[in-house]
């Protein structure tokens, strides 16, 4: 998955008509807030991002004294959807299934001298005319990219399970990552990093770029 060509878009349109061709992107990029995005209709992100642990008084006071500006989240160009066909050349009628992204969100917190970023992604698997109900493994790439040189500081490939049961034509999938840690330099983390996500059918990438 190339990290150079990106398109802004934190919300991807998806409908049954996608079986006849890839649908376009819709919506705008994430705002500058370090908290949850608003207006997501399809998935309960709040439940997944709610912090259930305990924080010491010093950490609570630090979070009250400043506001984090979480990095912008972008969907890489050409990775909002992926189609698999039963034959060549690919046509609408030999489409087996399609993966398509839905909502993407992020949440940031400071952990000492590190910035912890959790990323949430939802989407759909849709059967085409040549497809049949089955279990799928959706490959989702998440990368935290250094804004100075556009190189990944952290990049990780997740494989998310999704099953279309008998008698159904589509299903949803969702991912909430563990906290991805990068060096913290200032509250405006959006000046230091960009979050890039997408469906990645390519080979595994290096796990991280180590910095002094």
């Amino acid at each position: 998955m190339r990290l150079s060509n990106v398109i802004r878009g934190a919300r991807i349109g998806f409908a049954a008509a996608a079986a006849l061709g890839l649908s376009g992107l819709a919506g705008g990029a994430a705002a500058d807030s370090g908290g949850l995005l608003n207006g997501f209709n399809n998935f309960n992100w709040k439940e997944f991002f709610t912090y259930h642990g305990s924080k010491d008084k010093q950490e609570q006071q630090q979070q009250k004294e400043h506001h984090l500006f979480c990095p912008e989240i972008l969907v890489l160009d050409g990775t909002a959807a992926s189609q698999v066909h039963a034959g060549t050349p690919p046509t609408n009628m030999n489409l087996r299934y399609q993966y398509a992204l839905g909502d993407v969100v992020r949440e940031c917190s400071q952990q000492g001298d590190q910035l912890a970023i959790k990323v949430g992604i939802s989407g759909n698997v849709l059967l085409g005319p040549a497809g049949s109900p089955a279990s799928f493994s959706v490959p989702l790439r998440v990368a935290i990219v250094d804004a100075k040189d556009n190189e990944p500081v952290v990049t990780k490939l997740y494989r998310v399970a999704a099953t279309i049961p008998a008698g159904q034509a589509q299903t949803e999938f969702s991912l909430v990552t563990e906290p991805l840690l990068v060096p913290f330099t200032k509250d405006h983390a959006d000046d230091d990093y960009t979050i890039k996500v997408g469906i990645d059918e390519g080979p595994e990438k290096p796990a991280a770029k180590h910095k002094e």
Side-chain angles (χ1 to χ4, degrees):
M1 182 174 67
R2 299 182 59 187
L3 294 175
S4 58
N5 299 322
V6 299
I7 51 175
R8 300 175 183 272
R11 192 173 177 83
I12 311 301
F14 182 85
L20 300 180
L22 294 179
S23 56
L25 301 184
D32 63 359
S33 171
L36 296 179
L37 302 181
N38 297 320
F40 294 101
N41 300 319
N42 300 326
F43 198 79
N44 186 4
W45 293 111
K46 182 177 180 181
E47 177 182 344
F48 275 86
F49 278 121
T50 300
Y51 183 81
H52 297 291
S54 60
K55 298 181 180 179
D56 58 36
K57 292 183 179 180
Q58 182 179 2
E59 184 178 356
Q60 292 177 2
Q61 185 62 31
Q62 287 177 344
Q63 292 189 358
K64 289 180 180 179
E65 291 175 353
H66 68 266
H67 173 73
L68 287 176
F69 291 81
C70 207
E72 184 178 24
I73 188 165
L74 304 172
V75 176
L76 289 169
D77 189 11
T79 69
S82 177
Q83 293 184 328
V84 174
H85 293 79
T88 55
T91 66
N92 293 333
M93 294 309 298
N94 66 18
L95 175 66
R96 292 178 55 200
Y97 59 87
Q98 172 177 286
Y99 302 143
L101 297 188
D103 297 330
V104 296
V105 295
R106 82 279 192 259
E107 184 177 74
C108 297
S109 62
Q110 184 181 353
Q111 296 184 8
D113 61 353
Q114 293 185 304
L115 178 69
I117 304 173
K118 292 176 70 175
V119 178
I121 305 172
S122 71
N124 294 76
V125 182
L126 176 71
L127 293 181
S132 59
S135 294
F136 302 87
S137 179
V138 185
L140 300 177
R141 172 74 59 181
V142 177
I144 313 299
V145 178
D146 191 319
K148 296 184 183 66
D149 55 17
N150 202 36
E151 290 293 327
V153 181
V154 175
T155 177
K156 188 167 183 180
L157 180 66
Y158 298 87
R159 295 195 177 275
V160 181
T163 299
I164 298 179
Q168 302 295 319
Q170 63 178 308
T171 191
E172 297 179 351
F173 62 82
S174 63
L175 166 72
V176 176
T177 71
E178 74 282 9
L180 302 173
L181 301 177
V182 295
F184 176 84
T185 62
K186 56 181 177 295
D187 291 349
H188 272 277
D190 53 339
D191 292 337
D192 293 328
Y193 304 105
T194 301
I195 306 165
K196 298 181 180 181
V197 303
I199 299 170
D200 187 356
E201 298 281 7
E204 180 63 86
K205 308 293 192 304
K209 180 183 73 173
H210 297 288
K211 292 188 174 182
E212 298 296 332

